[in-house]
Amino acid sequence: MNAGAGTVTALRALGAVPDDQLDIAEAALLMAALDRPMVDIAPYRRHLNDIIAAIAQEQAGGECMARALALSGTIAGRFDYRGDNETYDDPANADLMRVIDRRMGLPVALGILYIHAGRAQGWAVDGLDFPGHFLIRVGGEDGNLVLDPFHAGRIADPPVMNDLLRRISGERELRPEHVRPMPAREVLLRLANNIKARAWKAGDVDRAATMLERMLMVAPDFAPAWRELGLVEDKRGRIRQSIAATERFLILSGDDAAVLEAQAFLRHIRLRLN
């Protein structure tokens, strides 16, 4: 088995475990490693362990502020991770191996470092489904704090979040869904979607298909990705693969309107096989 095949097998194995057992950083590394099959992943794993060990040395107690400061002081301070403001749309910012190489990335990529390192301490650390700018929530015995991993792990209190909301999405009211905790798989999907969306925008349908396939390795029952893969495969002229992906979507989807649309699409592309 070659390195790429072994990585695919390992990623699919992670995709089969319950969400609360999913190693979010390991999955992100494996997704990135598929683009660099000749690069040894072991140094990246050691680096993640170094971050975990450094945070443990802080001996933060049970209060959320102490935990937040330990995370930001170590990841942004000691290891110098920061958001990439200058080349924000560079796909490297959503590739965890390149993020570690460069010590910069997108909010969601940096957030994975915080989540992984915090959970390794036994802390409650979650990604938040904030629109356009990934945030994390750190829990303690006295409550929760929201951090912005893109901006050196600063505390994002409601005024900061309201300002982000206005600048990024144009919305003016912070709502409960903006701070919904995200399961690990959703965080990984959001990470991969950054690369996929940029590939779509650039007209690179092959790269978009590749990223959708990776998303489905970690979340094999994620219906929207099967629907989109069906559309992408159609654009690539791979009709049988498009049909298979769309049929899988129809099995998984609970959206009646989307199912009707997909059924019409399926009838249309089947005619092209004749």
Side-chain angles (χ1 to χ4, degrees):
M1 181 182 293
N2 61 44
T7 302
V8 167
T9 299
L11 192 55
R12 284 182 172 150
L14 283 176
V17 305
D19 196 89
D20 60 0
Q21 297 175 27
L22 179 57
D23 185 332
I24 190 170
E26 176 68 7
L29 280 180
L30 291 172
M31 291 172 76
L34 287 170
D35 287 327
R36 304 168 74 188
M38 303 308 294
V39 177
D40 186 3
I41 199 172
Y44 296 92
R45 290 176 174 139
R46 287 196 295 270
H47 176 72
L48 292 175
N49 287 334
D50 288 343
I51 293 175
I52 290 168
I55 292 171
Q57 290 174 0
E58 296 295 316
Q59 297 183 329
E63 295 183 354
C64 56
M65 178 62 79
R67 294 175 175 182
L69 291 175
L71 284 168
S72 60
T74 301
I75 296 172
R78 179 169 175 177
F79 289 94
D80 197 29
Y81 278 96
R82 62 195 184 282
D84 184 359
N85 281 306
E86 295 182 2
T87 55
Y88 188 88
D89 288 324
D90 187 336
N93 286 325
D95 176 319
L96 192 59
M97 292 174 75
R98 297 292 293 123
V99 168
I100 291 172
D101 289 337
R102 300 162 70 236
R103 298 293 196 274
M104 66 174 73
L106 292 176
V108 64
L110 298 171
I112 285 173
L113 297 177
Y114 282 74
I115 293 168
H116 178 73
R119 288 180 176 176
Q121 315 300 322
W123 303 341
V125 184
D126 296 294
L128 299 182
D129 195 16
F130 196 80
H133 191 93
F134 188 77
L135 299 171
I136 64 164
R137 185 182 68 187
V138 181
E141 296 169 359
D142 55 340
N144 300 290
L145 281 173
V146 176
L147 305 184
D148 182 350
F150 192 78
H151 293 103
R154 71 177 180 179
I155 294 172
D157 57 17
V160 169
M161 284 191 282
N162 275 316
D163 182 60
L164 278 172
L165 197 63
R166 285 192 295 271
R167 289 192 291 108
I168 293 170
S169 69
E171 297 185 57
R172 294 189 174 276
E173 182 181 353
L174 189 65
R175 298 195 298 272
E177 59 265 32
H178 296 149
V179 289
R180 178 184 68 86
M182 299 176 71
R185 276 187 176 78
E186 285 191 27
V187 176
L188 291 166
L189 290 171
R190 183 161 173 166
L191 177 73
N193 190 64
N194 278 281
I195 301 175
K196 184 266 297 179
R198 285 161 175 77
W200 255 124
K201 186 176 180 180
D204 188 346
V205 293
D206 290 337
R207 181 61 171 167
T210 293
M211 295 312 301
L212 284 165
E213 288 164 357
R214 291 181 194 176
M215 292 164 74
L216 289 167
M217 288 178 198
V218 297
D221 293 333
F222 184 55
W226 284 111
R227 178 71 180 107
E228 194 168 359
L229 183 61
L231 296 171
V232 172
E233 294 289 29
D234 180 46
K235 284 187 175 293
R236 298 169 86 194
R238 290 160 50 97
I239 305 302
R240 294 187 187 280
Q241 290 85 348
S242 177
I243 289 171
T246 306
E247 288 176 336
R248 183 62 181 158
F249 165 77
L250 290 173
I251 292 170
L252 295 170
S253 179
D255 184 331
D256 292 341
V259 164
L260 289 174
E261 182 183 350
Q263 288 172 335
F265 171 76
L266 201 54
R267 289 193 295 270
H268 172 71
I269 60 173
R270 278 176 173 157
L271 291 174
R272 291 158 55 189
L273 288 177
N274 300 328

